[in-house]
Amino acid sequence: MNTYVTGGIIKKLREKRAMTQAELAEKLSVSDKAISKWETGKGYPDITLLEPLSEMLGVSISALLAGSDIVNQNRSGNIERSRLYVCPVCGNILFAGGDAEIHCCGIALPPLEAEPADREHPFSVETIEDEYYITLDHPMTKTHYVSFIAVLRSDGWELHKLYPEGEAAARIKIGGARYFYYYCNRHGLFKASFR
């Protein structure tokens, strides 16, 4: 996050609620000049004002900090818009059904961008009865390893956590499996198709 609270979002939300700077200032017990400074980026609201400001503007504190008015509404989903996030500090693997602001260990995490599998990260897929058996030809040491294999299905995700010095492999039920992803702790996320 590059800014604390953006003035543009304060102004947009204030105007959306048909409030003048003076009216908002009165409700927050600050001067209208303070509101003007916030909206023009010449100052920021004190942290103690975030909760009352968010209540007056009808958004969450997260929306103020994000610089956008997040609206909680049901949107038709597309599983392929899902995003994976990995914390570089603790290795936590996080999943979101779409674009999101994800934080872990005090860090804003970017969504992982999958690359096609390459020569340095080869894999094989074998069909055994009703399962795919995915194996990766990859080092599995304490410093260089595949952290997980995740499968995108027509109805959701299946995640297989792998551990350093363990086997770089997973068994996956065939039904509905479209793509699989694997994450190298040094080189990032890779994507491959079962077909």
Side-chain angles (χ1 to χ4, degrees):
M1 172 170 37
N2 296 329
T3 58
Y4 171 53
V5 176
T6 62
I9 192 67
I10 294 172
K11 181 177 181 180
K12 177 181 173 185
L13 293 170
R14 176 183 59 76
E15 290 174 346
K16 187 176 177 181
R17 291 186 125 15
M19 261 191 282
T20 66
Q21 287 182 343
E23 289 170 334
L24 181 58
E26 183 180 334
K27 290 179 181 184
L28 294 172
S29 299
V30 299
S31 70
D32 55 345
K33 288 182 182 178
I35 303 293
S36 177
K37 284 182 181 180
W38 300 347
E39 291 184 357
T40 58
K42 295 177 182 171
Y44 297 106
D46 185 79
I47 195 164
T48 60
L49 292 173
L50 289 183
E51 187 175 351
L53 179 61
S54 68
E55 288 172 9
M56 293 297 118
L57 298 176
V59 296
S60 67
I61 294 173
S62 298
L64 281 178
L65 295 174
S68 60
D69 53 337
I70 299 167
V71 178
N72 218 3
Q73 60 183 332
N74 188 9
R75 296 185 181 121
S76 60
N78 179 342
I79 194 69
E80 294 195 27
R81 291 185 186 149
S82 302
R83 302 287 181 260
L84 290 168
Y85 301 80
V86 174
C87 178
V89 177
C90 69
N92 200 2
I93 304 160
L94 303 153
F95 163 84
D99 291 330
E101 276 203 39
I102 305 290
H103 296 257
C104 189
C105 296
I107 301 168
L109 304 178
L112 297 176
E113 293 290 330
E115 297 179 29
D118 61 16
R119 290 182 188 170
E120 292 180 35
H121 297 86
F123 66 89
S124 65
V125 177
E126 185 180 347
T127 303
I128 302 173
E129 296 177 3
D130 64 340
E131 295 180 321
Y132 291 123
Y133 182 57
I134 302 168
T135 55
L136 304 169
D137 184 13
H138 193 282
M140 291 296 282
T141 67
K142 287 183 179 181
T143 58
H144 188 194
Y145 56 91
V146 174
S147 174
F148 66 85
I149 297 174
V151 178
L152 178 62
R153 299 182 171 285
S154 55
D155 62 349
W157 285 87
E158 181 179 335
L159 181 73
H160 294 265
K161 176 72 174 125
L162 305 178
Y163 297 94
E165 301 180 304
E167 184 181 15
R171 292 178 88 96
I172 310 296
K173 289 283 186 192
I174 290 175
R178 295 182 182 181
Y179 305 102
F180 68 94
Y181 297 78
Y182 51 101
Y183 181 77
C184 170
N185 72 319
R186 288 191 181 175
H187 301 107
L189 189 66
F190 295 91
K191 178 181 179 180
S193 172
F194 284 107
R195 292 166 186 70

